[in-house]
Amino acid sequence: MGQEIATTEFSDADEKEFRRRLLAETNILNRWFKQERFEVPESPMCGLELEGWLTDSDFVPAPESEAFLEQVDDELVVPEISRFNFELNSIPAPIRATVFSDLNRSLSALWKGCTRKAESMGLRAIAIGSLPTIRANMLTLEHIYPSKRYFALNNRIMKLRRNMPTVLSLEGKEVLRVSHPDIMLEAAATSVQVHLQVALAEGKRFFNASTIASPIMAAVAANSPFLYGKALWSETRIPIFEQAVNLGSFRNLDGSVAKRVSLGNGYVRESLLELFLENLDGYPVLLPDNYDRTPDELSHLRLHNGTIWRWNRPLVGIADDGTPHLRIEHRVPSSGPSMPDVVANAAFFLGLATYLARMPEVPEDRLTFAAVKRNFFQACKYGLNAEVEWIDGKIWNLQTLVRSELVGPVEEALEELGVDQDDIYKYITRIIRPRMMTGQNGSNWQRAFINTHGPNFQRLLETYYQYQKQDIPVHEWKSEAQFS
């Protein structure tokens, strides 16, 4: 959900004071980088956030998250921007031993609890990148979650846009062009965010590695081929979110306008500090809420950073004893299809980022940021069928690249991190590898189902829901309806 705020209305004086505090806290962060003050974890730490949907028994979106969250009553299950959505959080854990089995066990237990509670209310809880039954007339401010943060974000973004509507324009298998009068289109895109704690010395390499890995992850984890009944991109969720919060900022050296939601504006050159300096100078403040807290808590810096949605976002955490740490939040994977798939996607990302970050030959010296950006949109549009440029200078079919060149190094990287062989086998060898052999990720399964049965999205979701409840990985799902 992000930090809650105290008000939805701000004055020019509020904004001026916020900017003053933001500058002071950025200077503190600058000093911490020079002092190398950040925690160095004994083992890299990871965690994740999983966004979900609520529907009624006919799989039509149900704006019931307030009542649902009250019934669930778990601090790890929190609101999202719309009353159709909610979010699960994992407890951070070191990447070693049985980390992924432990994560799968805890995540599945939490999700099953949410599923049972939803069913007791006549609802369905579904993890999917975009819900095929959502329609534009449902994404209204009437269904925004009653949080000051969300109301203020809408007000401020629309003010900066001079109340011009959001125009969503996508050409995939079909064409979709719609306008939307507020930011609620953002609620149509639900994701998994993987958190990786990094040491200061490895921050640059891991951030750039996460950027290079982003096109791969967009295709491997794709699960949002439909919006408003239209067949669009393999990972439609990415352009939905980029266009839902379409706010221009500064201009890059190539003349392009930096966006609020994007893959970023280039590789990190020296340290993650560069991104916080970019935040300070390049992006208008959306939530100038001034906290009565000590500057060392970096409350204003972290609030501002939380309103700049890079697909790989740098985070600063502060421990109870005041010790800061650095994390990378990888926001590319789609939500779902099953909990084992979610964990396998997280494991694959963590292994891939580690492999790329610790290569003797620096991959960002061999693959330009412009090429990664092209790869990213090719992967979002065409999924596993995308043609991408890789660090060897060759053009690859993405599915072939992952299957023949990346799965093995990912397995080796996870082993070097201390992950047990059984965990690597369970989530990479037995889920990611066969997914790459069959080519069946969430998006391709959904498309195959609709190709078989016609545009019956309720039936699609009913079958999807039953597979998801049974924790069956998506590469084993059948296109024919197995449940009735």
Side-chain angles (χ1 to χ4, degrees):
M1 177 181 178
Q3 288 173 246
E4 182 57 299
I5 58 176
T7 183
T8 61
E9 300 294 333
F10 307 103
S11 65
D12 291 344
D14 291 329
E15 189 158 353
K16 184 176 180 181
E17 176 61 14
F18 188 96
R19 295 285 311 181
R20 184 190 70 78
R21 296 187 187 195
L22 179 60
L23 175 59
E25 291 174 11
T26 305
N27 287 335
I28 289 171
L29 185 63
N30 189 1
R31 187 171 71 246
W32 289 354
F33 270 85
K34 290 178 180 177
Q35 295 171 344
E36 300 182 359
R37 187 176 164 189
F38 298 95
E39 177 188 351
V40 180
E42 183 179 335
S43 296
M45 301 286 289
C46 70
L48 62 78
E49 304 167 47
L50 167 71
E51 296 169 354
W53 288 85
L54 290 173
T55 75
D56 63 19
S57 58
D58 292 324
F59 300 97
V60 175
E64 301 291 342
S65 66
E66 285 178 275
F68 169 75
L69 291 169
E70 185 177 341
Q71 288 289 313
V72 171
D73 191 25
D74 191 313
E75 63 181 7
L76 296 176
V77 186
V78 299
E80 259 298 331
I81 188 168
S82 88
R83 298 176 196 244
F84 301 121
N85 305 125
F86 63 99
E87 178 184 279
L88 272 62
N89 293 269
S90 76
I91 297 172
I95 306 175
R96 62 187 182 201
T98 57
V99 57
F100 300 121
S101 290
D102 295 342
L103 177 59
N104 192 12
R105 192 178 303 109
S106 61
L107 186 66
S108 290
L110 189 58
W111 184 261
K112 282 180 167 60
C114 289
T115 299
R116 288 192 296 270
K117 190 60 67 176
E119 288 185 345
S120 75
M121 300 170 67
L123 304 173
R124 302 291 181 265
I126 302 177
I128 191 169
S130 59
L131 194 74
T133 52
I134 193 74
R135 294 294 180 264
N137 61 5
M138 302 175 186
L139 294 171
T140 65
L141 290 181
E142 175 189 357
H143 295 139
I144 195 170
Y145 189 84
S147 154
K148 291 185 176 67
R149 176 187 177 90
Y150 295 138
F151 281 111
L153 272 175
N154 181 74
N155 294 343
R156 294 280 293 181
I157 287 171
M158 296 315 297
K159 181 179 179 182
L160 287 170
R161 288 177 54 83
R162 296 182 174 86
N163 287 317
M164 293 291 292
T166 297
V167 177
L168 177 64
S169 179
L170 278 176
E171 293 187 15
K173 290 180 178 292
E174 298 180 85
V175 176
L176 177 65
R177 289 192 176 90
V178 294
S179 64
H180 209 79
D182 48 53
I183 67 167
M184 286 297 287
L185 181 61
E186 177 187 333
T190 39
S191 66
V192 172
Q193 294 106 48
V194 185
H195 289 246
L196 170 63
Q197 184 180 350
V198 293
L200 174 62
E202 289 194 303
K204 176 186 85 168
R205 290 293 308 277
F206 266 96
F207 190 88
N208 291 342
S210 300
T211 301
I212 293 169
S214 292
I216 306 300
M217 293 305 304
V220 168
N223 196 27
S224 56
F226 300 109
L227 181 67
Y228 301 160
K230 299 279 190 179
L232 299 168
W233 289 14
S234 181
E235 188 55 4
T236 305
R237 179 184 58 89
I238 298 288
I240 290 173
F241 194 30
E242 290 202 354
Q243 295 183 41
V245 192
N246 186 11
L247 280 177
S249 300
F250 60 93
R251 287 195 175 273
N252 291 305
L253 294 177
D254 63 2
S256 62
V257 177
K259 295 181 179 179
R260 203 92 190 187
V261 184
S262 75
L263 193 60
N265 303 300
Y267 289 130
V268 168
R269 298 178 298 278
E270 299 294 335
S271 78
L272 297 181
L273 177 65
E274 296 162 25
L275 300 170
F276 293 97
L277 295 176
E278 187 176 272
N279 290 356
L280 175 68
D281 296 328
Y283 294 95
V285 172
L286 290 186
L287 300 177
D289 192 38
N290 293 293
Y291 295 97
D292 185 19
R293 298 176 186 169
T294 63
D296 280 5
E297 295 181 65
L298 304 187
S299 300
H300 304 82
L301 179 144
R302 292 195 285 167
L303 177 60
H304 183 50
N305 186 54
T307 65
I308 299 162
W309 295 275
R310 297 178 182 90
W311 292 113
N312 296 282
R313 180 159 60 183
L315 300 177
V316 179
I318 312 290
D320 291 340
D321 65 0
T323 303
H325 68 264
L326 294 169
R327 299 197 309 278
I328 294 167
E329 181 189 36
H330 181 68
R331 304 172 55 82
V332 172
S334 217
S335 185
S338 71
M339 295 308 111
D341 284 312
V342 167
V343 174
N345 292 341
F348 185 74
F349 164 70
L350 294 166
L352 182 57
T354 301
Y355 162 64
L356 293 170
R358 294 179 175 172
M359 287 181 70
E361 295 183 356
V362 179
E364 56 264 42
D365 290 345
R366 303 165 64 189
L367 186 66
T368 66
F369 179 78
V372 175
K373 200 170 179 180
R374 286 195 300 272
N375 288 348
F376 188 58
F377 287 104
Q378 286 291 303
C380 292
K381 191 166 188 177
Y382 299 109
L384 295 174
N385 291 326
E387 299 292 310
V388 295
E389 181 180 346
W390 194 237
I391 57 179
D392 57 6
K394 298 177 182 178
I395 303 297
W396 285 84
N397 167 268
L398 194 147
Q399 182 179 341
T400 303
L401 173 66
V402 176
R403 185 178 63 234
S404 63
E405 299 292 317
L406 298 180
V407 171
V410 163
E411 291 170 334
E412 292 170 8
L414 292 173
E415 185 176 5
E416 290 173 9
L417 287 171
V419 179
D420 285 355
Q421 281 286 350
D422 285 349
D423 256 31
I424 297 170
Y425 180 79
K426 189 181 297 182
Y427 296 101
I428 304 300
T429 313
R430 295 296 298 156
I431 293 181
I432 297 297
R433 194 180 284 274
R435 192 192 301 168
M436 293 303 99
M437 294 298 293
T438 63
Q440 183 160 288
N441 58 13
S443 276
N444 286 347
W445 179 83
Q446 289 188 55
R447 283 174 167 170
F449 190 96
I450 293 301
N451 288 341
T452 300
H453 300 285
N456 187 336
F457 292 109
Q458 272 90 357
R459 188 178 182 186
L460 179 149
L461 285 173
E462 180 180 9
T463 306
Y464 182 106
Y465 179 67
Q466 295 298 334
Y467 277 126
Q468 187 171 89
K469 280 181 67 175
Q470 294 182 49
D471 277 347
I472 300 173
V474 71
H475 70 270
E476 298 179 6
W477 295 12
K478 306 298 182 185
S479 295
E480 297 77 20
Q482 302 291 303
F483 310 97
S484 58

